[in-house]
Amino acid sequence: MRFKNKIVVLLGLMILTACASSIAVIGGSYYATQYDFSEFFAATDGRNFQVILAGNPFPGIDPNTVARELLPVMQAAKPRPALTFTYDAPVERPRPYYRLVLVFDSAPDLGSYAVCNGVTRTRANRPGLFYVYAVYCRNDMAMSETTAWTQASSPTDPRVDQLFRELFQVVFPDSKAYRPLSGGNNRR
């Protein structure tokens, strides 16, 4: 009987380990006091919403292929407005200029202010780890930011889809209840 219990415990641990490796981890978040979901909704509902990619989460795959394969994954995981993600920059820069910047394998000292002002820095890629720093910008101001990571081998890995589903809920929260009254925390 003891041997059977050990086998059950061992199998349980193996299943738990397998589940844990497929779960996306969301880091700390920050929200500017000016963040307002209704503003995001009004600016993006029924419109194109630009996503800017920096870095390559899968260095063994051509960056253009990664970008092409990530777009439908992000679209399937999109937040509530009827927006369409696009990499295309607007013909004429709108005011205010809303966009989502995704920096893969971002440098540890990279901040959202720099990202919204066009600065991106990356560090060496860690094979098998999909790590992204997401910053929602309005003009040169970060409205929200967070980090997320998961184990993944390609842009179409189901864990990447799950990561974006969770990430978008944090970057674009539709309820003030999910954000601290102090404007968030700035942990990365």
Side-chain angles (χ1 to χ4, degrees):
M1 183 87 159
R2 286 188 94 181
F3 182 71
K4 287 182 182 179
N5 286 343
K6 287 180 181 180
I7 290 176
V8 169
V9 169
L10 182 60
L11 285 174
L13 286 173
M14 288 173 44
I15 291 170
L16 185 59
T17 302
C19 289
S21 68
S22 67
I23 298 172
V25 177
I26 305 295
S29 59
Y30 167 80
Y31 302 95
T33 54
Q34 297 87 345
Y35 176 85
D36 181 0
F37 181 77
S38 61
E39 176 186 9
F40 167 71
F41 193 97
T44 61
D45 192 36
R47 296 183 178 92
N48 287 342
F49 182 58
Q50 184 184 15
V51 177
I52 298 170
L53 303 181
N56 183 359
F58 305 103
I61 303 174
D62 175 62
N64 293 323
T65 301
V66 171
R68 186 177 58 248
E69 290 182 355
L70 277 180
L71 197 60
V73 173
M74 288 188 290
Q75 191 63 39
K78 73 173 189 61
R80 192 163 43 106
L83 61 82
T84 301
F85 286 121
T86 182
Y87 297 132
D88 298 333
V91 175
E92 198 172 299
R93 184 171 282 187
R95 265 324 241 190
Y97 178 33
Y98 299 98
R99 65 212 174 276
L100 176 65
V101 182
L102 301 176
V103 183
F104 299 105
D105 296 307
S106 62
D109 63 343
L110 182 63
S112 57
Y113 176 78
V115 169
C116 289
N117 282 282
V119 176
T120 58
R121 290 186 308 280
T122 60
R123 61 182 159 194
N125 178 273
R126 292 163 280 180
L129 183 68
F130 182 86
Y131 179 92
V132 63
Y133 178 34
V135 183
Y136 164 47
C137 302
R138 179 181 72 194
N139 299 325
D140 63 351
M141 181 180 200
M143 304 296 348
S144 65
E145 70 174 88
T146 193
T147 57
W149 58 94
T150 191
Q151 298 294 317
S153 57
S154 74
T156 57
D157 188 312
R159 294 173 289 196
V160 173
D161 174 71
Q162 185 61 37
L163 177 140
F164 279 120
R165 289 181 190 284
E166 294 174 26
L167 176 81
F168 293 150
Q169 290 177 16
V170 174
V171 174
F172 308 111
D174 60 356
S175 171
K176 291 182 182 181
Y178 294 111
R179 297 182 289 121
L181 296 175
S182 66
N185 58 41
N186 198 7
R187 295 176 299 151
R188 276 194 352 123

